[in-house]
Amino acid sequence: MRILSLQGDRVGICVTQFDPKQLERGLVSTPGALPTMVAGIISVQKIRYYKGTVATKAKFHITMGHETVMGRVAFFGITGSTEAADLTSDTGLSFERSYMYQDELFSEMSKVDSGDEIDTTDRSHLPSRQYALLEFEKPVTCIPACLVIGSKLDTDIHANVCRLAFHGCLLEPITDAKYKETILPKLKIFKNKMREGVIERLLDEYSVIGRSLFKKESNIQTFVGLKVKLSTGEEGVIEGGFGQSGKFKVRISSGLLSATLEQLSVTKKKSKGKTSATEEASTQNAATPSHQPIKVTLAFKRYIYDPKKLMIQ
């Protein structure tokens, strides 16, 4: 006679050639109902009583279900201004959305003193939602959407500190052992990047030559078409390299401002011809600091798991 067991029933199972000392506690389920994960993505919140920094790339004890394993964490989130209109009441993860990389997990409270909560006065720089990628040192079998707790259990038990660092809910179990090649490239976590150089000289009222933005060995062709901004306010586009020393040409379609043209024209005149050391010294002494070098800035973002390392503006 076949007897059906349901959730909550106590069931004895006979397993041959099995050492019971190797299993302290386990799970029984319908085949395929419980994923065995090598990594996972969770919604996450910092436990405000934890005084330490919860940093990306740090290792924590991760408790999920009946298991506690070591795992490495990487935090990312949605800032207050990032896709604010797209936020809904759920905390779900979307592979179509872009997320900001975080060096650490932020707390909603700036300070906790004797158990009293003190609100931060300015939260504009804080993410409105935070997530974490967990990479486990050994596979974990757990129910979907389970509670996740991160802690520092190796902290001195006699120290009067909270050892629980963060908690969250499992959103995306990752079971593919090759997830770094198959799953992570789909996860759009970006870092904001910025490079700064200087304008060396004027070509014409629509073009300038810049330097110190790239190294000599850099392939400037990969930057062609990217937008740059001058410290004087003009915006332009990198047209290509200029020579073999890492210099580059910038095209400003709207034309340079008259003040910028004047400053670069003076610089161009001073660079023409050869002067003696005495004349050069006297020129430098007579020069006023009012004309600072014109800086050129290249701002872009790069997705950290993009195998092609493309630059996005």
Side-chain angles (χ1 to χ4, degrees):
M1 182 177 69
R2 184 177 181 183
I3 300 176
L4 178 66
S5 60
L6 301 175
Q7 182 178 4
D9 293 343
R10 298 177 66 88
V11 179
I13 301 176
C14 180
V15 182
T16 60
Q17 298 180 348
F18 180 75
D19 183 1
K21 294 181 181 179
Q22 294 182 357
L23 179 65
E24 178 183 354
R25 188 178 294 173
L27 299 169
V28 177
S29 72
T30 302
L34 298 178
T36 298
M37 300 169 288
V38 293
I41 300 174
I42 66 171
S43 61
V44 64
Q45 294 181 9
K46 184 177 181 180
I47 295 175
R48 64 178 185 268
Y49 298 108
Y50 183 78
K51 296 182 180 180
T53 299
V54 185
T56 287
K57 297 183 179 180
K59 288 186 177 182
F60 288 85
H61 293 88
I62 309 297
T63 301
M64 304 175 68
H66 299 304
E67 294 193 62
T68 298
V69 299
M70 292 298 295
R72 190 182 301 275
V73 298
F75 299 107
F76 57 98
I78 302 173
T79 60
S81 59
T82 304
E83 299 183 20
D86 192 37
L87 295 179
T88 57
S89 58
D90 68 277
T91 57
L93 181 83
S94 172
F95 285 95
E96 302 301 320
R97 175 183 289 160
S98 293
Y99 300 91
M100 173 77 77
Y101 171 88
Q102 295 178 202
D103 290 317
E104 64 179 281
L105 179 63
F106 297 103
S107 173
E108 293 184 356
M109 302 298 169
S110 62
K111 183 179 178 183
V112 176
D113 187 11
S114 301
D116 296 329
E117 298 177 355
I118 301 178
D119 290 332
T120 54
T121 56
D122 181 11
R123 298 186 185 182
S124 60
H125 66 287
L126 297 177
S128 55
R129 287 184 189 165
Q130 298 182 96
Y131 303 87
L133 169 67
L134 307 178
E135 299 179 90
F136 308 122
E137 290 191 350
K138 66 176 184 178
V140 179
T141 300
C142 195
I143 62 173
C146 68
L147 173 67
V148 181
I149 299 175
S151 53
K152 282 286 188 181
L153 299 180
D154 49 357
T155 304
D156 184 3
I157 61 174
H158 301 293
N160 187 23
V161 295
C162 177
R163 297 193 294 169
L164 304 182
F166 61 86
H167 68 94
C169 177
L170 179 64
L171 300 177
E172 187 74 24
I174 300 175
T175 58
D176 188 352
K178 297 182 179 180
Y179 68 94
K180 292 184 179 179
E181 292 80 28
T182 59
I183 304 296
L184 293 191
K186 300 177 184 178
L187 189 59
K188 299 178 181 179
I189 303 175
F190 68 88
K191 284 185 178 182
N192 285 320
K193 301 282 188 177
M194 182 174 290
R195 294 189 179 192
E196 189 175 85
V198 295
I199 298 301
E200 183 178 73
R201 63 188 178 89
L202 176 72
L203 277 183
D204 55 55
E205 59 180 317
Y206 294 99
S207 302
V208 291
I209 301 299
R211 59 176 173 82
S212 302
L213 193 64
F214 310 110
K215 296 180 180 179
K216 184 178 179 180
E217 61 273 14
S218 297
N219 180 12
I220 299 180
Q221 285 301 119
T222 60
F223 298 89
V224 171
L226 293 182
K227 298 177 182 178
V228 294
K229 186 172 183 178
L230 306 190
S231 57
T232 48
E234 298 94 331
E235 294 184 353
V237 175
I238 297 176
E239 279 198 334
F242 188 84
Q244 304 296 322
S245 59
K247 296 180 182 180
F248 56 96
K249 182 180 178 181
V250 175
R251 178 73 176 177
I252 300 174
S253 58
S254 59
L256 293 164
L257 299 175
S258 56
T260 308
L261 282 170
E262 181 182 354
Q263 181 176 342
L264 291 175
S265 297
V266 171
T267 305
K268 185 176 181 181
K269 290 177 181 179
K270 286 183 178 181
S271 64
K272 285 185 177 181
K274 297 182 179 179
T275 60
S276 65
T278 304
E279 291 174 337
E280 185 176 351
S282 62
T283 302
Q284 290 178 353
N285 292 334
T288 61
S290 58
H291 290 308
Q292 297 296 327
I294 297 175
K295 296 180 180 180
V296 55
T297 303
L298 170 64
F300 60 94
K301 64 182 181 181
R302 177 174 283 163
Y303 293 110
I304 63 175
Y305 297 122
D306 179 11
K308 297 181 180 179
K309 304 297 181 182
L310 297 177
M311 291 166 287
I312 310 297
Q313 287 187 318

